[in-house]
Amino acid sequence: MLSTVRLSNGRAAWRFFGQSGLVVILLIGKYPPIEGGVSAYNYWLAQAFAEAGHKVIVLTNAEEVEEEYRMRLTAGDRAKLRGFRKRGSILVSSTRWDSKVSYVPWANPYLSKLVSLGLELVARHRPRFAYCSYFEPYGVAGLMLSKLTGIPYLVQHAGSDLGRLSASRQLRALHREMLRGAAGVVCSPPAERRLIALGASQKRLLRPLDCRLPPDVFRPSRLGRKAGAPLRLISYGKLDPSKGIDPLLKALAECRGGGLSITIDAFWGGPSLEGIKRAISRLGLGKAVRLHGFVPPWRIALAIRRAHVGVFLESGFPIAMHTPLGAIECMACGRPVILSEELARKAHMAGLVLRGRTAFVVRGSRPGPKGIERAFREAFAAAHSQLRIVLNREPGGDRRLRRQMRFLIGRATGPIGLQKADRNRLL
């Protein structure tokens, strides 16, 4: 028999993981084909809910994403968006672009469209609760749907929510009401004080859903590279000045000019892509850098296993709590990574970094071409078939690494679970 937990607004959400019976969940947020970690997280979250036997209704504006932030989807990928792994089901409902639906001063009314579509979905499917990822516009949409229909909602913040958006006086009062009205506010410990200052009740703070990489997708494979053979790197994510792409390209040109055969598969995108293309041409790296654009989360693991080493050089990122998972995804696939010092010291990475084995760290607060070149040369010498990284529960591999990765690698029963305390408190 399913049990319920009484929420502060008098309504109930069901505990559903590991239980029998159908629960309908409204998931409001980014979703493929929007690129990025939050979109991927929401995709795996929906898959996990469906695996547990529940019906997931995804409410998103993903079909309206700009081309520079859009994943490249095949016909098979489209089927996966609406697919599910076991017993449950997933229905994706996105707002649509309509040139007639705008106003002056010009704006695309995302919030109004999300709430209007959400009203239809709530009436038709009667979800138990809404899970909103990001304050804008998804958490605000959850607030409005709750006011209009009575559906309880959870809201999970992103870094930008607590940075530039919450700093705006024009948004502060509405965000306060959104946090006060939420049945639960999902946050990591470093964000607790900030959220309480913004209006969240400490009693309603919940730890994040334990996002585990699905082991059937992010599975390790051996490094099929002989010592001294050409080295194939992989890098992916939105282009940003903090990502270190310019010095990376200069370091790559120096290494190739010095006789090292190194190439890179780059899954990059964003407004600055054209400038990066010009830099690639100027440095004579047309054959060394293969540009692919963004791909969906279920295909990035295959691209990682085709490469030998991942490269992630973020430094000086304006949101301190930003925790990109690309390096962990590479390690989960059995690949070492080249990291900036900033990323290597992140709390979620520090225990996984064995310098010279799982990671080649570029020293200094800002990775420069010389430091990156040294890391490339280290990786060229060390990343070969004798190096094996096992970060899941398979026999063999480094015990320390397997201990550190237990919270990241899911079990066969599902890629994403809830932390025990949260299961008991809410779901």
Side-chain angles (χ1 to χ4, degrees), residues 104-343:
V104 177
W106 191 91
N108 186 343
Y110 286 127
L111 179 60
S112 298
K113 290 197 284 188
L114 285 167
V115 173
S116 182
L117 181 55
L119 288 171
E120 296 177 13
L121 294 174
V122 171
R124 188 180 310 137
H125 300 282
R126 299 193 177 280
R128 292 285 185 184
F129 66 94
Y131 187 98
C132 310
S133 177
Y134 264 75
F135 289 3
E136 291 287 343
Y138 312 110
V140 176
L143 166 66
M144 294 183 68
L145 286 172
S146 182
K147 294 288 186 183
L148 294 169
T149 68
I151 182 175
Y153 66 97
L154 309 179
V155 63
Q156 180 168 2
H157 71 85
S160 58
D161 292 327
L162 304 186
R164 57 186 175 82
L165 294 180
S166 65
S168 170
R169 290 195 172 194
Q170 299 185 84
L171 301 175
R172 195 171 300 163
L174 180 59
H175 286 182
R176 184 183 302 114
E177 291 303 312
M178 176 195 63
L179 292 169
R180 286 176 176 173
V185 178
V186 183
C187 71
S188 54
E192 287 184 359
R193 287 187 180 182
R194 179 63 175 155
L195 284 164
I196 293 170
L198 290 173
S201 167
Q202 187 167 10
K203 294 180 180 179
R204 299 189 197 178
L205 298 183
L206 298 171
R207 289 289 173 265
L209 291 168
D210 184 10
C211 183
R212 299 181 180 184
L213 303 176
D216 57 331
V217 177
F218 292 91
R219 61 183 185 275
S221 66
R222 289 185 178 274
L223 269 169
R225 175 181 178 261
K226 295 181 180 180
L231 182 70
R232 189 171 182 173
L233 308 177
I234 183 171
S235 173
Y236 53 96
K238 280 193 295 286
L239 290 170
D240 181 271
S242 67
K243 300 295 179 69
I245 303 302
D246 284 335
L248 179 156
L249 294 175
K250 291 175 182 177
L252 180 61
E254 285 295 322
C255 286
R256 289 178 63 83
L260 294 187
S261 180
I262 302 176
T263 60
I264 183 166
D265 286 291
F267 296 82
W268 296 335
S272 58
L273 181 59
E274 291 304 315
I276 292 298
K277 288 180 179 179
R278 290 192 293 271
I280 290 170
S281 176
R282 186 173 63 252
L283 293 168
L285 296 173
K287 294 183 179 180
V289 181
R290 294 178 286 267
L291 295 170
H292 301 280
F294 298 123
V295 297
W298 54 88
R299 279 206 277 130
I300 197 65
L302 179 60
I304 291 170
R305 287 192 292 273
R306 286 174 175 165
H308 303 127
V309 180
V311 184
F312 303 94
L313 300 173
E314 181 178 297
S315 65
F317 196 78
I319 302 169
M321 66 180 66
H322 186 236
T323 52
L325 291 178
I328 290 174
E329 291 173 342
C330 287
M331 289 184 181
C333 291
R335 298 297 181 265
V337 290
I338 296 169
L339 294 179
S340 64
E341 191 79 53
E342 181 174 309
L343 283 182

